[in-house]
Amino acid sequence: MLYPENTDHSLAYLKLTSYQYSSLGILHDKDTYTEDKLDKETGEVIHQAGDLKKDHYHFIVRFPNPRYIKAVAEELNIEAHLIDFLDSSFVQYAEYMLHWGKHSGAGKYTYDTVDFVGTLAGSAKEKLINEPKDLQLSKILGYIESYKTIVRYTDVYKWAFANGYSSVCTGRINVVKTFVEDHNQRFYYKKFTTCERGKTE
């Protein structure tokens, strides 16, 4: 867990969202207190029900080899007590991060997969999105058609990976490449006719 108001945590966030780490993160900035919280000594109201909780990030980090919590804390320059070993599956914790299903409740805002950050965001989306393959393919086509110029398959794959559609993009690669070719053809035709017109004139 990281708090963006902490400078060291902000630097750790930049590290965790880089390609240096295999990570999945999300900012919880819409959760609220469900009841008043009082100072035990003074009786003063610290938080009222409905007040927003302090912004914080949750992260899952995958390492290729076992690591000690202390070593990871030192590497990220954060407090060791903010790190723990994952006691659930990747998908279950991703659902917890979104407050989906059994993880929802009073004061817990329901987040969306578009709120994910990190190199594992696409993988999490792919596992959590229950859209039919044809709908995913249609969304890939929509992305291609949104381009105002020539698009490369590489660009399409990067978008598909980031949005959880990479398996469809690679599994139906011939179809996707046909979409790309059909899209690009109109730009090739436009360029050709312009050149021909120039020669005629």
Side-chain angles (χ1 to χ4, degrees), residues 95-134:
E95 290 177 339
Y96 164 77
M97 293 166 82
L98 297 171
H99 292 157
W100 282 12
K102 67 179 182 180
H103 305 293
S104 63
K108 293 183 177 182
Y109 180 84
T110 302
Y111 297 90
D112 194 270
T113 55
V114 297
D115 299 314
F116 280 142
V117 295
T119 56
L120 296 177
S123 178
K125 291 174 186 178
E126 186 165 2
K127 288 176 169 57
L128 293 171
I129 294 171
N130 293 316
E131 294 176 343
K133 299 295 183 185
D134 287 344

Side-chain angles (χ1 to χ4, degrees), residues 8 20 29 34-35 40 50 62 66 77 81 85 94 96 103 116 120 130 164 172 174 182 191 195:
D8 289 334
Q20 183 181 352
D29 59 352
T34 57
E35 56 186 32
K40 292 180 180 179
R62 282 182 177 165
N77 195 30
H81 73 269
F85 292 109
Y96 164 77
H103 305 293
F116 280 142
L120 296 177
N130 293 316
R172 305 290 296 277
N174 290 335
D182 289 349
K191 183 178 179 181
C195 289

Side-chain angles (χ1 to χ4, degrees), residues 129-182:
I129 294 171
N130 293 316
E131 294 176 343
K133 299 295 183 185
D134 287 344
L135 178 57
Q136 294 184 37
L137 191 61
S138 175
K139 289 189 175 182
I140 291 173
L141 174 60
Y143 171 75
I144 293 168
E145 291 181 333
S146 71
Y147 257 71
K148 303 301 182 188
T149 184
I150 291 171
V151 62
R152 301 176 305 158
Y153 174 79
T154 304
D155 299 318
V156 177
Y157 178 78
K158 286 178 181 177
W159 178 87
F161 178 81
N163 287 276
Y165 304 138
S166 60
S167 63
V168 171
C169 194
T170 55
R172 305 290 296 277
I173 187 169
N174 290 335
V175 176
V176 175
K177 283 191 171 182
T178 299
F179 290 161
V180 170
E181 289 170 7
D182 289 349

Side-chain angles (χ1 to χ4, degrees), residues 181-194:
E181 289 170 7
D182 289 349
H183 170 80
N184 290 343
Q185 190 173 6
R186 58 182 170 150
F187 297 103
Y188 294 143
Y189 176 75
K190 189 182 294 183
K191 183 178 179 181
F192 176 76
T193 53
T194 301

